[in-house]
Each structure stands twice: as structure tokens, then as C-alpha cells.
Amino acid sequence: MTQKIALIGAMNEEIELLVAHMTDIRETVKAGITFREGRFYEKDVVVCRTGVGKVNAAVTTQILIDQFGASAVIFTGVAGAVSPELQIGDIVISSECMQHDMDVTALGFARGIIPYEGTSIFQADPKLVELAEASGARLFPGRVKKGRVLSGDQFIASRDVVAGLHQELEGVCVEMEGAAVAQVCSMNAIPYVVLRSMSDKADGSAHVNFAEFTVQASENSYKMVEDIVKHLA
């Protein structure tokens, strides 16, 4: 079976650079999502925009697996920095993903735990993580951090919330889709990695920084994906 790599993002800015470098593009629309199959640096790929939020991300990922036969998923885009070590423009590679807004603490479960599931922390594929780390070292030396990506259907803009996410859930960055992609990939035994470029610090300045730095952050994410795909066996 031919390997097909799914390259996905949540926003147009995150995928337009990918599409611009593809050849032999074929478009399919399903569930209102445009999927573009083609070639990217001599690899078979399918590229799409998930839309914002965990439901959109989960639906998109399952379609990629079922209809397009995705054998690996690389999810790219922007995020808010949670770790105080991160600066705007830095890159996070997911070691794992977790939902920060899964909260069943009233029933005795720890925050972030999905009740009655085998796991609530979804490990990224070690080989994809290794490739991403090598790409990061080549492209952005000293500006790449591996760690836990936190996801929730919230745009975080509070210093107090950021501190809680870092201290309680040990997250390094926060966004709105990665853990959903990770969970669907885990359920289907499909390798994945999430790459996030920091567009803001997920604090009171988020509304000021987000628009200004999204373009830069998306370009950084694209460079990482391009380099990873080039080095895939």
C-alpha cells in the first residue's frame, strides 16, 4: 500500500503554503471540507483545513483515514505559548497531546482525564517526533521545544489560566485541535505529530499579538513540515 501523508492545519494561513508547493492536485469535498490530494516533494499527500475546534479536527482526521487512506498525520499551525521558556515564533513539537477542557472533577476524575477510557494522554509517534526534532535543529536551532500540547475549545487570554495549564497539566502550549487529532489517530493506530509555532503568549496580550504574528508563525510551521516530508523514508 502506498504511503499517504496527511498534512493538515486549522486555518487557511496554515495550509496555503503547502498547497502552493503541491503538484497533480485533485480536489474532493466531503462534510464541507476540501481535501487536496497530490504530490509534495515526491511524496503522496492529502492536504486540508480542519476548521477551528476539536469536533472539526476529529471529523477531518477520521475522513482522512477512512476515505483517503492516510498512513501518517502531521498537523501544523499556531498556538499560544504556555511554557515561560517559549517566545513568539518558537516551535513546539508534541511529545503527547491532552484535552485541557475535559473536566469531570465533580465525579472524582483528575482534570483532563476522559472517563472510562484507557488513556487520556495521546503519545506522538516517536519516529515523526525524531524527524521533527532534526528539522528543528537544522532550521530553528535553540528555538524548538518538545512537550505536551494542550487542546480545548477556548481561546486562552489569561495569565492565571496559562499558569494553571503549565503547572497543573504540564503543558508547553495551548491550541484548539491537536488533542482531537491525536485521539482519533490513537484510536486508529495511525502515527501522528503536532507542530505548533507560537503566535502569542496566551495571556492578556493575545488579542494584540495573534493577527500580527499568525503569518510569521504559519511560515515557520510550513518550513518544518517541508523539511520533515523531504526526509521521510
Side-chain angles (χ1 to χ4, degrees):
M1 181 177 177
T2 302
Q3 184 184 44
K4 183 173 286 185
I5 308 157
L7 307 175
I8 60 179
M11 301 187 301
N12 285 326
E13 293 91 342
E14 296 166 358
I15 65 165
E16 59 187 11
L17 287 169
L18 292 168
V19 174
H21 291 82
M22 288 173 64
T23 59
D24 304 324
I25 296 175
R26 305 180 305 281
E27 288 192 3
T28 304
V29 178
K30 187 171 180 64
I33 304 159
T34 301
F35 298 86
R36 296 176 175 90
E37 296 174 274
R39 300 279 289 173
F40 182 75
Y41 289 98
E42 301 181 357
K43 307 292 195 308
D44 289 322
V45 300
V46 53
V47 174
C48 66
R49 180 180 71 88
T50 63
V52 175
K54 292 185 297 179
V55 173
N56 280 328
V59 169
T60 302
T61 305
Q62 194 64 57
I63 292 172
L64 284 165
I65 294 166
D66 287 345
Q67 181 158 336
F68 297 96
S71 55
V73 175
I74 301 173
F75 185 35
T76 180
V78 299
V82 168
S83 169
E85 299 174 11
L86 289 168
Q87 302 299 320
I88 291 170
D90 288 354
I91 303 281
V92 165
I93 300 166
S94 63
S95 57
E96 58 200 16
C97 293
M98 184 181 191
Q99 297 180 58
H100 69 78
D101 62 348
M102 177 60 68
D103 188 347
V104 198
T105 52
L107 297 182
F109 294 91
R111 182 181 174 191
I113 297 301
I114 306 169
Y116 318 119
E117 292 291 332
T119 185
S120 302
I121 300 170
F122 303 99
Q123 303 295 322
D125 179 71
K127 292 182 180 178
L128 288 175
V129 170
E130 184 179 347
L131 280 171
E133 287 184 297
S135 294
R138 282 189 291 269
L139 297 171
F140 305 105
R143 302 200 67 187
V144 178
K145 183 177 180 66
K146 181 175 70 174
R148 179 179 292 174
V149 174
L150 300 177
S151 306
D153 289 325
Q154 302 165 358
F155 189 89
I156 305 299
S158 161
R159 289 180 175 86
D160 291 339
V161 173
V162 167
L165 293 175
H166 184 56
Q167 294 163 13
E168 183 182 354
L169 296 181
E170 300 178 354
V172 297
C173 71
V174 62
E175 36 87 298
M176 301 176 73
E177 298 84 24
V181 172
Q183 184 172 349
V184 172
C185 285
S186 176
M187 293 168 73
N188 290 274
I190 297 294
Y192 88 91
V193 69
V194 173
L195 309 173
R196 290 293 196 177
S197 183
M198 301 304 99
S199 61
D200 60 84
K201 290 202 168 189
D203 57 18
S205 63
H207 66 286
V208 175
N209 288 338
F210 185 75
E212 180 180 351
F213 287 99
T214 292
V215 173
Q216 176 199 336
S218 297
E219 288 175 353
N220 290 351
S221 294
Y222 168 78
K223 290 174 184 176
M224 285 280 290
V225 172
E226 179 186 59
D227 196 66
I228 291 168
V229 172
K230 285 180 179 178
H231 288 88
L232 276 170

